[in-house]
Amino acid sequence: MDTFSNEPQANPYEGSSAPHDPHRSPTDEQSWWRRPAGGREVLLVALPLVISSLSWTIMTFVDRVLLKWDSGDAMTAAFAAGTVWFSTLCLPLGIAMYTSTFVSQYFGAGRHDRIGLAVWQGVWMALAVSPIILLAIPLAPAMFRLADHTPEVMELELIYFKILCWGGPAMLVGQALAAFYSGRGKTSVVMVVDTSVAVLNLALDWVWIFGYLGFPAMGIAGAAWATVVSLWIKAAIYAYLVLQPQHREQFGTVAGLRFDWPLFIRQIYYGGPSGLQLALDIVGFTVFIVLIGRLGIIEAEASSMAFSVSTLAFMPIWGMSMAASILVGQHLGENRDDLASRATWTALTYALCYMAGISVLYLAVPDVFLIWFFAGDRSGEMRDQVHPLAVSLLRFVAAYNLLDAMGMMFSSAVKGAGDTRFVLRVSMVMATLLSVLSWVAVEWLELGVYGCWAVITLWVWVMGIVFLLRFLGGKWRSMRVIEAAPPDLPVQELETEPAVS
């Protein structure tokens, strides 16, 4: 078994270069749009991922709105329970997501026979941890009692959380299988599948929450079951696509079904810190949400609205950062760290433009986003208290959006190279700080909801600056997660097709 290190390594293919494109003119090299790793290449990879992320964001947003129409407690409970559920999945989900980095580097190096094998190691990991994930169901009452929420909200939280747990294995398997496409830059497939399943989820939400087409009105339970069913359908679609005959021959998607211990361990070694980083970030955020819930129902509901709206900014940038990670992996597989760097800066340009625009909307016309939450509130009892607070909290979101984009972009770029242990160390420190500072703000200094939101704004700023400095340091440029190619494999065989076709 290979020994691993995420320290810079000697390039196994020193002196090789990216494939020459006979259709590229000297002018293209100078054009921001047409040059390698320029605007066009990044957009073709990123836009489907942005649309995919946005589709699920809109689905979650509408899900919260529909639950708000059912009851304010249902919306608050779904937000809190959904966050806790996601935090239980973060470690294995981060490993499953990191499968795309292996696929991208194998693809960039032209080693297509290893791609199917890498994808299935991610699936085996997902199936192995699934029984552990389901153990969270009997532990749920003890977990939610710690939050000290009202009995009504806690009852709804338990219903939502326990049902969602049955969709956890499907989320992990689906993410590992999706890496087969995202890692190769074929992100349009991911867009079509994810968007279609998101539409299905919304339809099931409408039918099962309110009780249409002969189904009983299930409220928050209906929303949870809609998510679970959609996740399993998505996993099944990806499995069907990956096993198509053309993929079996070119990428070994059937031959790679076997368990490969060295590659499995390698993916755990590099993906594990990525998963832990995601888990720590979410745990810190979950503690923040739980503490906000202790301030009162008005504060909890307004914060749930603000965070639900903020996903309209966050998730598209998440998609853009995934594209940056994929392109970094592909170009490092080609041993072109210059193009990997350029792709990251190009993706950041898009991200900052988007974040700036949506932040202006949060400040200038917040009701464009908030009005939907109150459309089903016929009594208007909570509106006068919740609405102005939610408007104020969106100003905090606007204040940290640009630094949030920067942090996501640069952390994803260095993870795409294999610098996952640094990202983990930063997250360990920052998640602890977020939890401690949130507790101090609520329980000790009694700064209230604005104090808590000031804490998370400062936290995002610091994260963005730290990952910018790491990226500029350049240590990631000589890192690789894949093993060196066999010595008898000629360099020219490593040349591969363009990342986007």
Side-chain angles (χ1 to χ4, degrees), residues 21-367:
D21 183 353
H23 302 292
R24 182 177 292 135
S25 70
T27 304
D28 293 340
E29 291 292 336
Q30 305 303 318
S31 166
W32 180 88
W33 175 251
R34 296 186 61 85
R35 66 184 181 179
R40 179 179 180 273
E41 179 182 332
V42 171
L43 191 63
L44 286 175
V45 174
L47 186 58
L49 291 176
V50 170
I51 294 173
S52 176
S53 299
L54 194 57
S55 70
W56 281 93
T57 300
I58 293 173
M59 180 204 73
T60 303
F61 180 80
V62 174
D63 182 77
R64 300 289 186 268
V65 169
L66 294 177
L67 287 173
K68 177 66 172 66
W69 293 359
D70 188 52
S71 77
D73 284 350
M75 182 196 70
T76 302
F79 182 73
T83 303
V84 174
W85 171 71
F86 189 73
S87 69
T88 65
L89 291 176
C90 281
L91 175 56
L93 181 62
I95 299 172
M97 292 171 62
Y98 206 72
T99 303
S100 66
T101 298
F102 279 81
V103 171
S104 66
Q105 290 197 17
Y106 279 131
F107 185 73
R111 301 173 63 186
H112 295 177
D113 60 304
R114 302 285 290 175
I115 289 176
L117 191 63
V119 169
W120 285 111
Q121 303 318 299
V123 173
W124 301 143
M125 180 281 304
L127 295 176
V129 302
S130 292
I132 302 174
I133 293 171
L134 296 178
L135 287 177
I137 295 175
L139 298 175
M143 287 193 297
F144 284 96
R145 272 197 296 270
L146 294 174
D148 196 26
H149 292 169
T150 64
E152 296 79 10
V153 171
M154 179 179 168
E155 181 182 356
L156 294 173
E157 287 171 340
L158 288 173
I159 293 171
Y160 195 71
F161 178 83
K162 288 180 178 181
I163 296 173
L164 282 184
C165 284
W166 294 103
M171 174 175 276
L172 300 179
V173 170
Q175 191 65 55
L177 291 170
F180 174 74
Y181 289 99
S182 61
R184 295 184 298 122
K186 310 301 180 183
T187 51
S188 58
V189 177
V190 178
M191 176 188 69
V192 171
V193 173
D194 286 4
T195 302
S196 300
V197 174
V199 171
L200 171 65
N201 197 335
L202 285 179
L204 294 177
D205 272 337
W206 182 259
V207 171
W208 290 346
I209 290 175
F210 301 109
Y212 293 108
L213 301 180
F215 289 94
M218 293 187 284
I220 195 170
W225 280 118
T227 300
V228 170
V229 170
S230 299
L231 287 172
W232 280 108
I233 289 176
K234 183 168 76 167
I237 292 173
Y238 277 124
Y240 172 78
L241 293 175
V242 166
L243 292 172
Q244 290 299 293
Q246 64 269 30
H247 300 323
R248 300 176 192 177
E249 180 178 348
Q250 186 175 3
F251 301 106
T253 58
V254 170
L257 270 164
R258 70 184 187 277
F259 184 82
D260 186 286
W261 181 251
L263 183 56
F264 181 83
I265 293 298
R266 181 177 284 273
Q267 290 187 213
I268 298 294
Y269 179 85
Y270 286 104
S274 180
L276 279 173
Q277 173 251 328
L278 182 60
L280 287 169
D281 288 349
I282 296 299
V283 166
F285 182 72
T286 301
V287 171
F288 177 85
I289 293 298
V290 168
L291 289 170
I292 286 282
R294 291 187 176 186
L295 295 174
I297 189 64
I298 302 298
E299 291 83 352
E301 197 165 318
S303 294
S304 296
M305 287 183 187
F307 277 124
S308 295
V309 171
S310 74
T311 57
L312 295 173
F314 176 86
M315 289 307 296
I317 303 306
W318 175 272
M320 186 67 70
S321 69
M322 288 174 60
S325 181
I326 290 164
L327 289 169
V328 166
Q330 287 185 1
H331 289 305
L332 289 182
E334 300 168 350
N335 293 311
R336 291 295 304 271
D337 62 281
D338 57 324
L339 295 184
S341 177
R342 182 189 291 173
T344 304
W345 287 108
T346 302
L348 180 64
T349 301
Y350 283 123
L352 292 179
C353 289
Y354 175 80
M355 279 296 206
I358 202 162
S359 295
V360 169
L361 293 178
Y362 287 167
L363 295 172
V365 285
D367 278 340

Side-chain angles (χ1 to χ4, degrees), residues 306 362-363 366 370 386-398 450 453:
Y362 287 167
L363 295 172
L370 295 174
V386 174
H387 176 265
L389 180 56
V391 170
S392 297
L393 297 184
L394 280 182
R395 294 170 185 159
F396 284 93
V397 178
Y450 291 123
W453 277 80

Side-chain angles (χ1 to χ4, degrees), residues 412-437:
S412 294
V414 298
K415 283 197 296 183
D419 197 9
T420 55
R421 275 169 162 64
F422 173 81
V423 177
L424 173 59
R425 289 194 295 269
V426 171
S427 293
M428 288 176 67
V429 174
M430 295 303 295
T432 302
L433 277 176
L434 179 60
S435 300
V436 171
L437 292 177

